[in-house]
Amino acid sequence: MAEHVLVPTDGSPQSVAAVRFAATEWPDAELTLLNVINPADADYRERALSGSEEWFQAEKRKARETFAEVKAEVGLVDTDRTITDRIEVGSPQKVIVEVLDDDAGYDHVVMGSHGRTGVSRILLGSVAEEVLRRSPVPVTIVR
């Protein structure tokens, strides 16, 4: 039975489903919701015009809003359950594996799959697939 579950979330329906699954499957486990800010997602003009620090602060605000929205949607607001929000910066697949390798004691990761297939999967890669290959702990992929 998992005691500390990492759930990467970006607010997408798949990541909300992953949070819901983790909360239901392991009702007594501590959950850590992880949002990875990927600098590659920012358009150069956007960062140049607003300044990289302003852009970064705006992304952190969006991440905190995402956490609040996901918790509300899944019914994790005002519970006695231990839920930690964590924001990191970098390439999502690399950051998720690095977070799993830290000393926080994660024993499972649950994440959504965007379900890409064929050419888009080859060209874009799959964060879930990369985490699945490199994770030091069991991984559950939720569609």
Side-chain angles (χ1 to χ4, degrees), residues 6 18 21 25-26 108-113 132 137-142:
L6 179 69
F21 178 84
E25 187 70 19
W26 298 286
H108 205 99
V109 61
V110 177
M111 57 191 304
S113 169
L132 184 62
V137 300
V139 177
T140 299
I141 308 293
V142 177

Side-chain angles (χ1 to χ4, degrees), residues 18-95:
V19 174
R20 183 174 286 114
F21 178 84
T24 303
E25 187 70 19
W26 298 286
D28 298 325
E30 178 179 347
L31 299 179
T32 295
L33 306 184
L34 171 67
N35 184 282
V36 180
I37 298 171
N38 188 354
D41 288 345
D43 159 306
Y44 174 76
R45 278 180 303 146
E46 183 179 58
R47 284 185 286 169
L49 292 174
S50 66
S52 57
E53 184 59 30
E54 288 179 34
W55 174 83
F56 178 64
Q57 293 304 321
E59 291 299 305
K60 283 174 54 176
R61 277 191 300 280
K62 287 181 199 172
R64 287 189 295 271
E65 290 169 6
T66 296
F67 291 140
E69 291 167 4
V70 168
K71 288 177 195 174
E73 188 170 337
V74 175
L76 295 174
V77 178
D78 297 326
T79 66
D80 291 336
R81 183 174 200 154
T82 303
I83 302 172
T84 304
D85 300 339
R86 184 168 178 171
I87 300 171
E88 296 290 339
V89 178
S91 170
Q93 57 269 39
K94 289 180 182 176
V95 170

Side-chain angles (χ1 to χ4, degrees), residues 118-138:
V119 175
S120 66
R121 182 174 163 269
I122 292 168
L123 295 176
L124 299 173
S126 170
V127 172
E129 182 177 353
E130 185 69 20
V131 171
L132 184 62
R133 290 177 190 225
R134 298 180 51 215
S135 174
V137 300

